[in-house]
Amino acid sequence: MMDRIRDEEKPLHIVMFPWLAFGHMIPYLELGKLIAQKGHRVSYVSTPRNIQRLPKLPPHLAPLIKFVSLPMPKVNNLPENAEATIDVSYDVVQHLKNAHDKLEQPLTHFLKSSNADSIFHDFTHYWLGPVASKLGIKSVFFSIFTPPLIGFMGPASVLKGTDPGRTKPEDFTVAPPWVLFQTTVAFRYFEIMKIADILSENDSGFSDLYRTGCCIENCDTILIRGCTEFEPEWFQVIQNIHQKPVLPAGQLPTTVFKCSDESDTWWWMKEWLDKQQSGTVVYVAFGSEAKPSQEEVTEIALGLEKSKLPFFWVLRVQRGSMDKDVLELPEGFEERTKGFGVVCTSWAPQMKIMGHESVGGFLTHAGWSSVVEAIQNEKPLVLLTFLADQGINARVLEEKKMGYSVPRDEQDGSFTSESVANSIRLVMVEEEGKIYRENIKEMKDLFVNTERQDRYVDNLLNHLRCLLKH
């Protein structure tokens, strides 16, 4: 049942505008559903193809969540129909940001007639704060990146480069001066080198750090996917460096509206999983953004084979149809692992796979949505980072003994099939890895407690009401 709004309170109208990546769009939609559940209106803004690809809404929320479709602007070097990061290779994402910036005018046009109370926006929208302010709409920087990452990245002046707090990649491999407690949370050298482009201007004219700095500087409130009980010290860091209201959005676990027609895809997967012993299958998936190199795929494949454990691997062989670099499995691998291993190169229902009792562990890139889904399903984590915030997420999980990272070369991030096999067996089978299996179960309540999540949403809505009165 939807929560009743008290008669004297007019429902709020909240606009949501996430970055064009499914790892961003889905948590925004989850929060949108929780807000609509309380009887408020949500306008969810994206481009046509992205809206078509979002999960279906539960019928009782559909009247309150309106999808606002803004045509995708055409820009050079962006393939036809590319509307999300999943559609393009990593080097083309800068052109996607270019197209995204061109949505400023149509979005402003929509906002003028929307009668919106507030807009929730992502890290890329450096131009949005002033637009909202001019229209009298409160802006909320809603970060799907976790509190440790936002805290670690530092004040707006450092992000925008006006304060030379960090000038070289090595500066990101140590805890910064504004973090006043002992922590291992920092990027490893190979992790920051993989994403060194976030530090510099790209085709769009602005670095990711600059964009984030502007978003934080110009917003009225900082809202972060996370939970104050799980990482209180990082919320405090953010509060200290930004001197603005900082609210937790909760972990926003994925909720799936169950359609009556189970897809054929899931049936064959379920049939295979049903044949495996309970807790023996390692599930392998690296999200919609990360794409391993050919060398990495080879080592992962051989590592899975050497682990002697059954595996279910969702492998994206290319990023978008224009990606020329198509990944291949080692010769003979599929024949040798027939029966005890599955490699799926198309979409797979991650929540259903992870919910299956035969799955006993998850080899993951440490993207936070995947981490939350694993904890929802009590699956211990083997970590293999590739991009973005994944290194910082991995440090947090290592510190809390919730995940174990595959050992790698510090300079280039290379790893061997033996280290993959040993890491999987440690976390899933061996006595030494029991702590990871137990800690994941213990943390579940912090991540999927509906009462706490509900309280966070109530606090957020009360805060938004207070903002409107000032």
Side-chain angles (χ1 to χ4, degrees), residues 36-77:
Q37 185 83 33
K38 304 274 181 190
H40 299 281
R41 283 171 55 220
V42 174
S43 290
Y44 186 105
V45 180
S46 195
T47 59
R49 195 163 167 234
N50 289 333
I51 287 171
Q52 280 163 11
R53 292 183 283 183
L54 286 168
K56 295 282 169 282
L57 291 173
H60 72 291
L61 295 181
L64 287 164
I65 299 177
K66 180 181 153 210
F67 289 109
V68 178
S69 185
L70 301 181
M72 187 69 180
K74 297 220 179 315
V75 297
N76 292 339
N77 304 315

Side-chain angles (χ1 to χ4, degrees), residues 423-469:
S423 302
I424 291 169
R425 291 195 65 82
L426 170 79
V427 168
M428 285 179 62
V429 181
E430 287 163 19
E431 186 60 28
E432 201 191 327
K434 196 175 171 189
I435 189 162
Y436 300 106
R437 302 191 285 276
E438 288 177 347
N439 282 353
I440 281 288
K441 287 181 180 153
E442 268 179 36
M443 286 294 177
K444 183 175 177 178
D445 183 63
L446 265 186
F447 277 66
V448 292
N449 181 306
T450 47
E451 284 173 22
R452 182 183 292 109
Q453 182 65 70
D454 197 51
R455 190 170 72 244
Y456 284 152
V457 176
D458 281 339
N459 289 346
L460 168 64
L461 293 166
N462 289 336
H463 172 77
L464 294 176
R465 286 193 184 287
C466 290
L467 275 184
L468 293 174
K469 287 174 186 159

Side-chain angles (χ1 to χ4, degrees), residues 389-425:
D389 57 336
Q390 295 159 15
I392 298 292
N393 295 347
R395 291 312 86 72
V396 171
L397 296 164
E398 292 160 9
E399 270 194 354
K400 293 180 185 285
K401 290 278 191 287
M402 293 166 68
Y404 177 82
S405 286
V406 174
R408 299 169 80 164
D409 180 278
E410 210 54 48
Q411 293 302 302
D412 65 9
S414 59
F415 54 88
T416 63
S417 55
E418 279 79 16
S419 64
V420 172
N422 295 341
S423 302
I424 291 169
R425 291 195 65 82

Side-chain angles (χ1 to χ4, degrees), residues 298 301-306 308-309 311 329-342:
T298 301
L302 299 176
L304 290 170
E305 195 176 344
K306 288 174 183 173
K308 300 279 194 287
L309 289 167
F311 62 86
L329 293 163
E331 202 172 332
F333 172 75
E334 286 178 279
E335 292 76 53
R336 295 194 304 274
T337 58
K338 209 178 181 70
F340 86 89
V342 169

Side-chain angles (χ1 to χ4, degrees), residues 170-183:
E170 287 81 358
D171 297 337
F172 290 83
T173 63
V174 292
W178 53 85
V179 174
L180 304 174
F181 50 86
Q182 282 295 111
T183 181

